[in-house]
Amino acid sequence: TARLTRLQTPFRRIPGQYLARRASSTLQNPNKKDASVVHHHRPQTHHHHVTYSETDDAVPLLAKQPIHRLSLADLVKHGRPPLNAEALLSSARFTLSLLPIRLAHRIQALRNLPYIVVSNPNIRKIYNNYQHSLSTLLPWQGRTISNLEDEIRFTEVLAELVQTHTDTIPILARGFLECRKYISPAEVTHFLDQHLRARIGTRLVAEQHIALHYSSSPHFDPSSSPTPCPENPGYIGVIDTALRPASTVDSCGSFVADICELNYGVRPEWIINGNPHTTFAFVPMHLEYIITELLKNAFRATVENGMNKSPVVITIAPEPPSISTPITLSPPSVSLGAFNKDHIQPLDDNAPGVTIRIRDRGGGISPDVLPHIWSYSFTTFSENDDSDAPPGAWSDDALSVISAASSGGSSIAGLGYGLPLSRAYAEYFGGGIAVQSLHGWGTDVYLRLKGVGRIE
Ligand code: ADP
Ligand code: MG
Protein backbone atom coordinates (compact mmCIF):
# COMPACT_ATOMS: atom_id res chain seq x y z
CA THR A 1 0.00 0.00 0.00
CA ALA A 2 2.89 2.36 0.64
CA ARG A 3 3.80 1.98 -2.99
CA LEU A 4 0.26 2.62 -4.09
CA THR A 5 0.06 5.74 -1.99
CA ARG A 6 3.20 7.03 -3.59
CA LEU A 7 1.91 6.32 -7.05
CA GLN A 8 -1.40 7.88 -6.33
CA THR A 9 0.25 11.24 -6.31
CA PRO A 10 -0.50 12.16 -9.91
CA PHE A 11 -4.08 11.13 -9.40
CA ARG A 12 -4.60 12.72 -6.01
CA ARG A 13 -3.50 16.15 -7.00
CA ILE A 14 -6.18 16.31 -9.67
CA PRO A 15 -7.37 18.91 -9.96
CA GLY A 16 -5.14 21.14 -8.00
CA GLN A 17 -5.66 19.69 -4.60
CA TYR A 18 -2.00 19.96 -3.82
CA LEU A 19 -1.98 23.64 -4.58
CA ALA A 20 -4.72 24.14 -2.06
CA ARG A 21 -2.89 22.07 0.52
CA ARG A 22 0.31 23.92 -0.10
CA ALA A 23 -1.45 27.21 0.09
CA SER A 24 -3.25 26.48 3.30
CA SER A 25 -0.14 25.07 4.93
CA THR A 26 2.32 27.74 3.91
CA LEU A 27 0.56 30.98 3.23
CA GLN A 28 0.25 32.07 6.81
CA ASN A 29 3.87 31.62 7.47
CA PRO A 30 5.97 30.42 4.59
CA ASN A 31 8.60 28.97 6.91
CA LYS A 32 6.18 26.89 8.89
CA LYS A 33 4.74 23.89 7.08
CA ASP A 34 2.35 22.85 9.84
CA ALA A 35 -1.14 22.79 8.39
CA SER A 36 -2.66 23.30 11.83
CA VAL A 37 -1.45 26.89 11.72
CA VAL A 38 -4.40 27.90 9.63
CA HIS A 39 -7.05 25.55 10.88
CA HIS A 40 -8.62 28.09 13.16
CA HIS A 41 -9.09 30.34 10.16
CA ARG A 42 -11.29 27.77 8.51
CA PRO A 43 -14.94 28.43 9.05
CA GLN A 44 -16.31 25.48 10.96
CA THR A 45 -19.83 25.84 9.73
CA HIS A 46 -20.07 24.92 6.13
CA HIS A 47 -21.05 21.31 6.61
CA HIS A 48 -24.02 22.23 8.77
CA HIS A 49 -27.24 23.80 7.77
CA VAL A 50 -26.65 27.48 7.97
CA THR A 51 -28.74 30.35 6.77
CA TYR A 52 -26.79 32.40 4.31
CA SER A 53 -29.19 35.26 4.01
CA GLU A 54 -26.51 37.57 2.69
CA THR A 55 -25.48 35.23 -0.11
CA ASP A 56 -29.06 34.23 -0.75
CA ASP A 57 -29.75 37.79 -1.71
CA ALA A 58 -26.66 38.04 -3.84
CA VAL A 59 -27.27 34.97 -5.94
CA PRO A 60 -30.08 36.06 -8.31
CA LEU A 61 -28.37 39.33 -9.16
CA LEU A 62 -24.97 37.76 -9.71
CA ALA A 63 -26.45 34.88 -11.69
CA LYS A 64 -28.03 37.38 -14.06
CA GLN A 65 -24.59 38.60 -15.10
CA PRO A 66 -23.12 36.74 -18.03
CA ILE A 67 -20.15 34.46 -17.48
CA HIS A 68 -17.02 36.16 -18.75
CA ARG A 69 -15.75 34.42 -21.82
CA LEU A 70 -12.32 33.39 -20.67
CA SER A 71 -9.43 33.36 -23.04
CA LEU A 72 -6.11 31.70 -22.53
CA ALA A 73 -4.59 35.08 -22.97
CA ASP A 74 -6.43 36.02 -19.77
CA LEU A 75 -4.86 33.10 -17.97
CA VAL A 76 -1.29 33.69 -19.07
CA LYS A 77 -1.15 37.46 -19.32
CA HIS A 78 -0.51 37.92 -15.60
CA GLY A 79 2.00 35.13 -15.49
CA ARG A 80 4.66 36.01 -17.99
CA PRO A 81 7.97 36.35 -16.26
CA PRO A 82 9.18 38.43 -14.60
CA LEU A 83 6.25 38.27 -12.25
CA ASN A 84 6.08 41.49 -10.33
CA ALA A 85 3.74 42.63 -7.59
CA GLU A 86 1.56 44.63 -9.94
CA ALA A 87 0.99 41.59 -12.19
CA LEU A 88 0.11 39.50 -9.15
CA LEU A 89 -2.36 42.09 -7.87
CA SER A 90 -4.02 42.42 -11.23
CA SER A 91 -4.26 38.62 -11.46
CA ALA A 92 -5.98 38.61 -8.05
CA ARG A 93 -8.40 41.36 -9.11
CA PHE A 94 -9.15 39.56 -12.35
CA THR A 95 -9.82 36.29 -10.47
CA LEU A 96 -12.09 38.10 -8.02
CA SER A 97 -14.02 39.69 -10.86
CA LEU A 98 -14.89 36.23 -12.25
CA LEU A 99 -15.52 33.88 -9.35
CA PRO A 100 -18.64 35.23 -7.59
CA ILE A 101 -20.58 35.27 -10.87
CA ARG A 102 -19.44 31.76 -11.71
CA LEU A 103 -20.40 30.43 -8.26
CA ALA A 104 -23.78 32.17 -8.39
CA HIS A 105 -24.56 30.51 -11.72
CA ARG A 106 -23.88 27.11 -10.17
CA ILE A 107 -26.00 27.88 -7.10
CA GLN A 108 -28.82 28.96 -9.36
CA ALA A 109 -28.55 25.74 -11.38
CA LEU A 110 -28.67 23.68 -8.18
CA ARG A 111 -31.76 25.61 -7.04
CA ASN A 112 -33.41 24.79 -10.34
CA LEU A 113 -33.17 21.04 -9.68
CA PRO A 114 -36.34 19.38 -8.37
CA TYR A 115 -36.72 20.24 -4.69
CA ILE A 116 -36.58 16.63 -3.58
CA VAL A 117 -33.19 16.30 -5.32
CA VAL A 118 -31.69 19.42 -3.67
CA SER A 119 -32.98 18.08 -0.36
CA ASN A 120 -30.82 15.00 -0.66
CA PRO A 121 -28.04 15.33 1.93
CA ASN A 122 -25.26 14.85 -0.62
CA ILE A 123 -26.60 17.31 -3.17
CA ARG A 124 -27.34 19.64 -0.25
CA LYS A 125 -23.73 19.40 0.83
CA ILE A 126 -22.53 20.50 -2.59
CA TYR A 127 -25.08 23.31 -2.54
CA ASN A 128 -23.87 24.42 0.89
CA ASN A 129 -20.26 24.29 -0.29
CA TYR A 130 -21.10 26.72 -3.08
CA GLN A 131 -23.03 29.00 -0.75
CA HIS A 132 -20.14 28.93 1.66
CA SER A 133 -17.56 29.69 -1.03
CA LEU A 134 -19.62 32.56 -2.32
CA SER A 135 -19.97 33.94 1.20
CA THR A 136 -16.17 33.94 1.58
CA LEU A 137 -15.78 35.97 -1.62
CA LEU A 138 -18.58 38.51 -1.16
CA PRO A 139 -16.72 40.57 1.47
CA TRP A 140 -14.00 41.12 -1.15
CA GLN A 141 -16.36 42.62 -3.64
CA GLY A 142 -16.46 46.36 -3.83
CA ARG A 143 -12.94 46.81 -2.58
CA THR A 144 -9.70 46.71 -4.46
CA ILE A 145 -6.94 44.26 -3.80
CA SER A 146 -4.23 46.88 -3.70
CA ASN A 147 -1.38 45.49 -1.65
CA LEU A 148 0.39 42.20 -1.12
CA GLU A 149 -1.15 41.59 2.31
CA ASP A 150 -4.57 41.65 0.68
CA GLU A 151 -3.28 39.39 -2.05
CA ILE A 152 -2.02 36.84 0.48
CA ARG A 153 -5.35 36.79 2.30
CA PHE A 154 -7.24 36.54 -0.97
CA THR A 155 -5.05 33.63 -2.07
CA GLU A 156 -5.91 31.91 1.22
CA VAL A 157 -9.57 32.29 0.40
CA LEU A 158 -8.95 30.80 -3.05
CA ALA A 159 -6.99 27.91 -1.58
CA GLU A 160 -9.83 27.13 0.80
CA LEU A 161 -12.30 27.36 -2.08
CA VAL A 162 -10.32 24.88 -4.20
CA GLN A 163 -10.00 22.57 -1.19
CA THR A 164 -13.72 22.78 -0.31
CA HIS A 165 -14.74 21.54 -3.74
CA THR A 166 -12.15 18.80 -4.14
CA ASP A 167 -14.38 15.80 -3.43
CA THR A 168 -17.41 17.06 -5.33
CA ILE A 169 -17.57 14.20 -7.81
CA PRO A 170 -18.11 11.17 -5.56
CA ILE A 171 -20.54 13.23 -3.44
CA LEU A 172 -22.60 14.28 -6.45
CA ALA A 173 -22.44 10.74 -7.80
CA ARG A 174 -23.81 9.39 -4.55
CA GLY A 175 -26.47 12.08 -4.36
CA PHE A 176 -27.79 11.47 -7.85
CA LEU A 177 -27.67 7.73 -7.35
CA GLU A 178 -29.82 8.09 -4.23
CA CYS A 179 -32.23 10.33 -6.18
CA ARG A 180 -32.50 8.04 -9.18
CA LYS A 181 -36.22 7.55 -8.57
CA TYR A 182 -36.89 11.26 -8.98
CA ILE A 183 -34.70 12.34 -11.85
CA SER A 184 -33.93 10.67 -15.16
CA PRO A 185 -30.42 9.72 -16.26
CA ALA A 186 -30.77 12.20 -19.13
CA GLU A 187 -31.54 15.07 -16.74
CA VAL A 188 -28.65 14.04 -14.51
CA THR A 189 -26.28 13.96 -17.45
CA HIS A 190 -27.47 17.35 -18.59
CA PHE A 191 -26.99 18.89 -15.16
CA LEU A 192 -23.62 17.25 -14.58
CA ASP A 193 -22.32 18.16 -18.01
CA GLN A 194 -22.95 21.82 -17.27
CA HIS A 195 -21.89 21.63 -13.68
CA LEU A 196 -18.66 19.75 -14.16
CA ARG A 197 -17.61 21.77 -17.20
CA ALA A 198 -18.19 24.99 -15.30
CA ARG A 199 -16.27 23.54 -12.38
CA ILE A 200 -13.24 22.91 -14.60
CA GLY A 201 -13.11 26.60 -15.51
CA THR A 202 -13.72 27.88 -11.99
CA ARG A 203 -11.00 25.70 -10.53
CA LEU A 204 -8.63 26.61 -13.31
CA VAL A 205 -9.05 30.33 -12.65
CA ALA A 206 -8.50 29.88 -8.91
CA GLU A 207 -5.61 27.45 -9.33
CA GLN A 208 -3.93 29.70 -11.85
CA HIS A 209 -3.82 32.55 -9.37
CA ILE A 210 -2.63 30.27 -6.55
CA ALA A 211 0.16 28.94 -8.79
CA LEU A 212 1.18 32.44 -9.84
CA HIS A 213 1.25 33.45 -6.20
CA TYR A 214 3.71 30.66 -5.49
CA SER A 215 5.89 31.26 -8.49
CA SER A 216 6.29 34.87 -7.40
CA SER A 217 6.69 34.23 -3.70
CA PRO A 218 10.12 35.11 -2.33
CA HIS A 219 9.56 32.42 0.30
CA PHE A 220 8.96 29.73 -2.26
CA ASP A 221 11.00 26.67 -1.51
CA PRO A 222 11.43 24.58 -4.68
CA SER A 223 12.80 21.57 -2.78
CA SER A 224 9.48 21.10 -1.00
CA SER A 225 7.47 21.38 -4.15
CA PRO A 226 5.55 18.48 -5.61
CA THR A 227 5.87 18.23 -9.37
CA PRO A 228 4.83 20.04 -11.49
CA CYS A 229 6.85 22.81 -9.95
CA PRO A 230 5.28 26.19 -10.42
CA GLU A 231 8.75 27.71 -10.32
CA ASN A 232 9.82 25.60 -13.27
CA PRO A 233 10.67 27.99 -16.08
CA GLY A 234 8.51 25.93 -18.42
CA TYR A 235 5.40 26.75 -16.39
CA ILE A 236 3.10 29.71 -16.52
CA GLY A 237 0.93 29.18 -13.49
CA VAL A 238 -0.59 25.71 -13.94
CA ILE A 239 0.22 25.56 -17.65
CA ASP A 240 3.26 23.51 -18.65
CA THR A 241 4.53 24.97 -21.92
CA ALA A 242 6.54 21.81 -22.68
CA LEU A 243 4.35 18.98 -21.45
CA ARG A 244 5.47 15.57 -22.69
CA PRO A 245 2.44 13.26 -23.00
CA ALA A 246 4.63 10.13 -23.11
CA SER A 247 5.81 10.89 -19.56
CA THR A 248 2.23 11.37 -18.39
CA VAL A 249 1.25 8.02 -19.98
CA ASP A 250 4.09 6.24 -18.18
CA SER A 251 3.37 7.70 -14.75
CA CYS A 252 -0.40 7.21 -15.02
CA GLY A 253 0.20 3.74 -16.53
CA SER A 254 2.11 2.50 -13.50
CA PHE A 255 -0.51 3.97 -11.17
CA VAL A 256 -3.35 2.23 -13.03
CA ALA A 257 -1.35 -1.02 -13.28
CA ASP A 258 -1.08 -0.93 -9.47
CA ILE A 259 -4.86 -0.65 -9.13
CA CYS A 260 -5.21 -3.59 -11.54
CA GLU A 261 -2.79 -5.62 -9.50
CA LEU A 262 -4.91 -5.01 -6.40
CA ASN A 263 -8.20 -5.73 -8.21
CA TYR A 264 -7.25 -8.59 -10.51
CA GLY A 265 -3.78 -9.71 -9.46
CA VAL A 266 -2.29 -8.89 -12.86
CA ARG A 267 -0.40 -5.91 -14.23
CA PRO A 268 -1.31 -5.14 -17.82
CA GLU A 269 1.49 -3.81 -19.98
CA TRP A 270 1.63 -0.86 -22.32
CA ILE A 271 3.91 0.38 -25.05
CA ILE A 272 4.28 3.85 -26.48
CA ASN A 273 5.01 4.40 -30.14
CA GLY A 274 4.58 7.20 -32.64
CA ASN A 275 6.52 10.24 -31.52
CA PRO A 276 7.16 9.94 -27.79
CA HIS A 277 9.30 13.10 -27.80
CA THR A 278 6.35 15.33 -28.62
CA THR A 279 5.77 18.22 -26.24
CA PHE A 280 3.01 20.82 -26.23
CA ALA A 281 1.56 23.49 -23.96
CA PHE A 282 -1.20 22.14 -21.74
CA VAL A 283 -2.47 21.84 -18.18
CA PRO A 284 -0.78 18.71 -16.75
CA MET A 285 -3.55 18.08 -14.17
CA HIS A 286 -6.10 17.81 -16.95
CA LEU A 287 -4.00 15.46 -19.08
CA GLU A 288 -3.33 13.26 -16.05
CA TYR A 289 -7.03 12.98 -15.29
CA ILE A 290 -7.90 11.99 -18.86
CA ILE A 291 -5.04 9.52 -19.36
CA THR A 292 -5.73 7.84 -16.02
CA GLU A 293 -9.40 7.31 -16.90
CA LEU A 294 -8.69 6.06 -20.43
CA LEU A 295 -5.99 3.67 -19.22
CA LYS A 296 -8.32 2.33 -16.50
CA ASN A 297 -10.86 1.48 -19.18
CA ALA A 298 -8.28 -0.08 -21.50
CA PHE A 299 -6.58 -2.10 -18.73
CA ARG A 300 -9.87 -3.28 -17.26
CA ALA A 301 -11.11 -4.47 -20.67
CA THR A 302 -7.77 -6.15 -21.40
CA VAL A 303 -7.81 -8.10 -18.15
CA GLU A 304 -11.51 -8.98 -18.22
CA ASN A 305 -11.09 -10.21 -21.80
CA GLY A 306 -8.19 -12.43 -20.74
CA MET A 307 -5.72 -10.63 -23.00
CA ASN A 308 -3.05 -9.85 -20.41
CA LYS A 309 -0.32 -10.75 -22.85
CA SER A 310 -1.44 -8.07 -25.33
CA PRO A 311 -0.05 -4.70 -24.34
CA VAL A 312 -2.16 -1.60 -24.63
CA VAL A 313 -0.57 0.48 -27.40
CA ILE A 314 -0.43 4.23 -27.01
CA THR A 315 0.45 6.14 -30.16
CA ILE A 316 1.45 9.76 -29.84
CA ALA A 317 1.11 11.87 -32.95
CA PRO A 318 2.05 15.53 -32.89
CA GLU A 319 -0.15 17.72 -34.99
CA PRO A 320 1.68 20.10 -37.27
CA PRO A 321 0.66 23.65 -36.36
CA SER A 322 -0.11 24.57 -39.94
CA ILE A 323 -2.60 21.81 -40.59
CA SER A 324 -5.93 22.52 -38.98
CA THR A 325 -7.96 19.50 -39.97
CA PRO A 326 -9.91 18.61 -36.88
CA ILE A 327 -10.80 14.97 -36.75
CA THR A 328 -14.51 14.42 -36.72
CA LEU A 329 -15.54 13.27 -33.34
CA SER A 330 -18.52 11.07 -32.99
CA PRO A 331 -20.85 11.13 -31.28
CA PRO A 332 -20.71 14.88 -30.82
CA SER A 333 -20.89 16.15 -27.31
CA VAL A 334 -24.60 16.58 -26.59
CA SER A 335 -24.50 19.90 -24.93
CA LEU A 336 -21.24 21.41 -26.07
CA GLY A 337 -22.97 24.28 -27.79
CA ALA A 338 -24.31 25.59 -24.54
CA PHE A 339 -20.85 25.64 -23.02
CA ASN A 340 -18.81 27.11 -25.77
CA LYS A 341 -19.21 30.48 -24.20
CA ASP A 342 -17.63 29.18 -21.06
CA HIS A 343 -14.76 27.56 -22.84
CA ILE A 344 -11.30 28.85 -22.83
CA GLN A 345 -10.47 29.98 -26.32
CA PRO A 346 -7.16 28.78 -27.68
CA LEU A 347 -4.70 31.65 -27.85
CA ASP A 348 -3.95 30.79 -31.36
CA ASP A 349 -6.04 28.58 -33.57
CA ASN A 350 -2.92 27.12 -35.09
CA ALA A 351 -1.53 26.09 -31.74
CA PRO A 352 0.28 22.79 -32.04
CA GLY A 353 -1.74 19.96 -30.60
CA VAL A 354 -1.36 16.26 -30.14
CA THR A 355 -3.46 13.22 -30.89
CA ILE A 356 -3.07 10.22 -28.63
CA ARG A 357 -4.55 6.87 -29.63
CA ILE A 358 -5.06 4.26 -26.94
CA ARG A 359 -5.58 0.83 -28.48
CA ASP A 360 -6.55 -2.22 -26.47
CA ARG A 361 -7.41 -5.82 -27.26
CA GLY A 362 -10.10 -5.86 -24.61
CA GLY A 363 -12.95 -7.16 -26.78
CA GLY A 364 -14.52 -3.83 -27.71
CA ILE A 365 -17.85 -2.44 -26.60
CA SER A 366 -21.04 -4.25 -27.41
CA PRO A 367 -23.58 -2.38 -29.56
CA ASP A 368 -26.17 -2.27 -26.76
CA VAL A 369 -23.66 -0.62 -24.41
CA LEU A 370 -22.17 1.81 -26.93
CA PRO A 371 -24.99 4.40 -26.95
CA HIS A 372 -24.68 4.87 -23.18
CA ILE A 373 -20.96 5.25 -22.65
CA TRP A 374 -21.10 9.08 -22.56
CA SER A 375 -23.78 9.22 -19.87
CA TYR A 376 -22.71 10.07 -16.34
CA SER A 377 -23.29 7.10 -14.02
CA PHE A 378 -23.45 4.57 -16.83
CA THR A 379 -21.14 1.68 -16.09
CA THR A 380 -20.91 -2.00 -16.89
CA PHE A 381 -18.73 -2.48 -13.85
CA SER A 382 -20.08 -4.65 -11.08
CA GLU A 383 -18.27 -5.58 -7.88
CA ASN A 384 -19.87 -8.98 -7.55
CA ASP A 385 -19.63 -11.02 -10.71
CA ASP A 386 -22.86 -12.95 -10.26
CA SER A 387 -25.02 -9.82 -10.07
CA ASP A 388 -28.25 -10.16 -12.00
CA ALA A 389 -28.49 -6.48 -12.73
CA PRO A 390 -28.52 -5.74 -16.44
CA PRO A 391 -25.42 -3.97 -17.69
CA GLY A 392 -25.64 -0.26 -17.21
CA ALA A 393 -28.30 -0.35 -14.55
CA TRP A 394 -27.82 2.17 -11.78
CA SER A 395 -26.83 -0.49 -9.38
CA ASP A 396 -26.30 -0.24 -5.64
CA ASP A 397 -22.88 -1.68 -6.35
CA ALA A 398 -21.97 1.81 -7.39
CA LEU A 399 -22.41 2.92 -3.79
CA SER A 400 -19.48 0.85 -2.63
CA VAL A 401 -17.35 2.18 -5.47
CA ILE A 402 -18.38 5.70 -4.47
CA SER A 403 -17.47 5.02 -0.86
CA ALA A 404 -14.01 3.95 -1.99
CA ALA A 405 -13.70 7.09 -4.11
CA SER A 406 -14.84 9.40 -1.31
CA SER A 407 -12.34 7.95 1.12
CA GLY A 408 -9.54 8.84 -1.24
CA GLY A 409 -9.11 5.31 -2.59
CA SER A 410 -9.33 4.44 -6.20
CA SER A 411 -10.96 1.64 -8.08
CA ILE A 412 -10.58 0.48 -11.62
CA ALA A 413 -14.11 1.46 -12.69
CA GLY A 414 -17.63 1.91 -11.48
CA LEU A 415 -18.60 5.55 -11.18
CA GLY A 416 -19.33 5.77 -14.88
CA TYR A 417 -17.89 9.29 -14.95
CA GLY A 418 -14.59 8.42 -16.66
CA LEU A 419 -15.51 8.94 -20.31
CA PRO A 420 -17.91 11.90 -20.04
CA LEU A 421 -15.66 13.81 -17.67
CA SER A 422 -12.54 13.07 -19.74
CA ARG A 423 -14.39 14.44 -22.73
CA ALA A 424 -15.31 17.56 -20.80
CA TYR A 425 -11.64 18.13 -19.97
CA ALA A 426 -10.53 17.45 -23.56
CA GLU A 427 -13.16 19.78 -25.02
CA TYR A 428 -12.28 22.54 -22.61
CA PHE A 429 -9.38 23.68 -24.75
CA GLY A 430 -10.96 22.74 -28.05
CA GLY A 431 -9.99 19.06 -28.26
CA GLY A 432 -12.16 15.97 -28.12
CA ILE A 433 -12.41 12.23 -27.65
CA ALA A 434 -13.65 9.63 -30.13
CA VAL A 435 -14.20 5.97 -29.31
CA GLN A 436 -13.99 3.34 -32.05
CA SER A 437 -14.99 -0.11 -30.95
CA LEU A 438 -14.36 -3.27 -32.92
CA HIS A 439 -16.69 -5.54 -31.04
CA GLY A 440 -15.13 -8.91 -30.37
CA TRP A 441 -11.63 -7.50 -30.78
CA GLY A 442 -10.81 -4.27 -29.02
CA THR A 443 -11.21 -0.53 -28.72
CA ASP A 444 -9.37 2.50 -30.08
CA VAL A 445 -9.79 5.75 -28.23
CA TYR A 446 -8.61 8.89 -30.01
CA LEU A 447 -7.81 11.74 -27.69
CA ARG A 448 -7.17 14.96 -29.53
CA LEU A 449 -5.84 17.88 -27.55
CA LYS A 450 -5.26 21.36 -28.75
CA GLY A 451 -2.26 22.96 -27.20
CA VAL A 452 -2.92 26.13 -25.31
CA GLY A 453 -1.17 28.14 -27.97
CA ARG A 454 1.86 30.33 -28.28
CA ILE A 455 2.63 31.90 -24.98
CA GLU A 456 5.24 34.42 -26.08
P1 ADP B 1 -16.65 3.21 -15.76
O1 ADP B 1 -15.28 2.85 -16.26
O2 ADP B 1 -16.65 3.73 -14.36
O3 ADP B 1 -17.64 2.12 -15.97
P2 ADP B 1 -16.56 5.03 -18.00
O4 ADP B 1 -17.31 6.28 -18.32
O5 ADP B 1 -15.07 5.12 -17.92
O6 ADP B 1 -17.15 4.48 -16.63
O7 ADP B 1 -16.93 3.93 -19.07
C1 ADP B 1 -18.29 3.59 -19.30
C2 ADP B 1 -18.41 2.19 -19.89
O8 ADP B 1 -17.85 2.19 -21.22
C3 ADP B 1 -17.64 1.13 -19.16
O9 ADP B 1 -18.36 0.62 -18.06
C4 ADP B 1 -17.43 0.08 -20.24
O10 ADP B 1 -18.58 -0.73 -20.36
C5 ADP B 1 -17.32 0.89 -21.51
N1 ADP B 1 -15.90 1.07 -21.96
C6 ADP B 1 -15.18 2.21 -21.88
N2 ADP B 1 -13.93 2.02 -22.39
C7 ADP B 1 -13.87 0.72 -22.80
C8 ADP B 1 -12.84 -0.08 -23.43
N3 ADP B 1 -11.61 0.41 -23.71
N4 ADP B 1 -13.15 -1.38 -23.71
C9 ADP B 1 -14.38 -1.88 -23.42
N5 ADP B 1 -15.38 -1.17 -22.84
C10 ADP B 1 -15.14 0.12 -22.52
MG1 MG C 1 -13.79 4.15 -16.62
Side-chain angles (χ1 to χ4, degrees):
T1 39
R3 181 155 179 230
L4 190 62
T5 313
R6 183 175 59 80
L7 283 158
Q8 268 178 350
T9 312
F11 189 64
R12 277 170 167 272
R13 66 168 180 255
I14 297 165
Q17 194 179 5
Y18 84 96
L19 286 172
R21 271 210 216 98
R22 289 183 52 75
S24 55
S25 63
T26 56
L27 271 172
Q28 278 300 105
N29 175 350
N31 302 318
K32 197 161 179 185
K33 297 277 151 54
D34 181 1
S36 65
V37 173
V38 291
H39 270 170
H40 62 278
H41 291 286
R42 289 254 173 94
Q44 303 294 308
T45 47
H46 61 281
H47 295 308
H48 304 292
H49 289 269
V50 184
T51 317
Y52 294 97
S53 52
E54 193 191 342
T55 51
D56 269 340
D57 291 336
V59 170
L61 270 178
L62 282 168
K64 276 203 193 92
Q65 299 183 43
I67 290 190
H68 171 83
R69 185 187 173 118
L70 274 173
S71 76
L72 274 161
D74 287 334
L75 276 195
V76 298
K77 78 175 167 214
H78 308 287
R80 283 201 192 85
L83 244 181
N84 54 32
E86 199 37 59
L88 200 59
L89 293 176
S90 85
S91 166
R93 289 193 287 260
F94 174 71
T95 308
L96 176 60
S97 74
L98 300 183
L99 289 181
I101 298 172
R102 300 184 65 96
L103 296 177
H105 276 261
R106 293 297 89 225
I107 293 172
Q108 196 64 59
L110 281 157
R111 288 180 185 174
N112 291 343
L113 287 171
Y115 184 73
I116 192 162
V117 175
V118 203
S119 312
N120 173 278
N122 294 292
I123 310 285
R124 189 90 209 162
K125 178 169 184 188
I126 299 304
Y127 178 80
N128 287 345
N129 284 348
Y130 273 90
Q131 290 274 30
H132 168 71
S133 294
L134 181 59
S135 75
T136 63
L137 287 174
L138 285 181
W140 290 84
Q141 285 204 307
R143 59 187 254 212
T144 335
I145 299 173
S146 54
N147 57 52
L148 288 173
E149 287 78 63
D150 277 355
E151 190 276 331
I152 289 174
R153 284 193 297 120
F154 178 66
T155 306
E156 279 182 333
V157 170
L158 291 184
E160 199 229 286
L161 187 148
V162 168
Q163 180 64 51
T164 298
H165 296 266
T166 296
D167 297 325
T168 293
I169 286 160
I171 298 169
L172 277 178
R174 179 187 278 269
F176 282 115
L177 193 68
E178 288 169 357
C179 292
R180 63 190 184 276
K181 285 198 188 79
Y182 314 111
I183 184 165
S184 71
E187 285 172 277
V188 173
T189 290
H190 178 77
F191 174 84
L192 286 175
D193 234 10
Q194 288 197 32
H195 189 85
L196 298 176
R197 282 166 198 263
R199 180 176 179 268
I200 294 171
T202 303
R203 291 178 79 77
L204 197 59
V205 171
E207 285 166 345
Q208 181 69 358
H209 181 77
I210 296 169
L212 290 180
H213 173 93
Y214 275 111
S215 39
S216 71
S217 167
H219 305 291
F220 186 71
D221 171 12
S223 64
S224 72
S225 166
T227 51
C229 306
E231 87 286 5
N232 181 321
Y235 279 80
I236 294 185
V238 294
I239 299 166
D240 183 352
T241 58
L243 180 60
R244 189 173 172 269
S247 310
T248 308
V249 168
D250 280 334
S251 63
C252 298
S254 44
F255 168 60
V256 178
D258 280 357
I259 307 178
C260 274
E261 203 165 13
L262 283 176
N263 271 258
Y264 302 110
V266 276
R267 289 181 76 82
E269 286 171 10
W270 69 95
I271 53 175
I272 298 177
N273 63 21
N275 188 344
H277 303 297
T278 305
T279 63
F280 74 131
F282 204 70
V283 181
M285 298 180 292
H286 292 186
L287 184 64
E288 285 163 7
Y289 179 84
I290 300 168
I291 296 290
T292 301
E293 289 304 320
L294 297 181
L295 288 179
K296 280 186 188 175
N297 289 349
F299 284 9
R300 172 194 163 203
T302 301
V303 176
E304 291 189 353
N305 198 36
M307 296 297 287
N308 304 332
K309 294 281 166 287
S310 290
V312 169
V313 181
I314 297 102
T315 307
I316 295 174
E319 195 175 284
S322 51
I323 303 173
S324 55
T325 41
I327 56 167
T328 314
L329 299 166
S330 58
S333 174
V334 270
S335 42
L336 182 60
F339 301 103
N340 268 339
K341 64 172 193 290
D342 185 38
H343 277 199
I344 299 217
Q345 302 302 304
L347 266 187
D348 159 5
D349 270 341
N350 289 325
V354 63
T355 299
I356 301 170
R357 183 184 62 198
I358 300 177
R359 169 168 285 183
D360 68 61
R361 285 285 313 273
I365 305 171
S366 82
D368 52 318
V369 163
L370 205 51
H372 307 292
I373 59 173
W374 300 106
S375 306
Y376 288 94
S377 290
F378 176 88
T379 181
T380 52
F381 186 75
S382 162
E383 289 224 308
N384 45 347
D385 293 334
D386 47 24
S387 158
D388 285 335
W394 294 33
S395 81
D396 286 319
D397 254 356
L399 280 175
S400 67
V401 175
I402 289 166
S403 305
S406 344
S407 57
S410 195
S411 64
I412 190 71
L415 276 186
Y417 282 44
L419 283 177
L421 195 48
S422 294
R423 182 164 71 175
Y425 276 107
E427 287 177 348
Y428 207 85
F429 288 108
I433 296 182
V435 171
Q436 294 291 333
S437 152
L438 188 51
H439 190 214
W441 186 267
T443 305
D444 281 356
V445 178
Y446 290 85
L447 167 64
R448 179 171 180 265
L449 297 173
K450 259 186 97 52
V452 297
R454 264 198 300 276
I455 309 273
E456 290 321 312

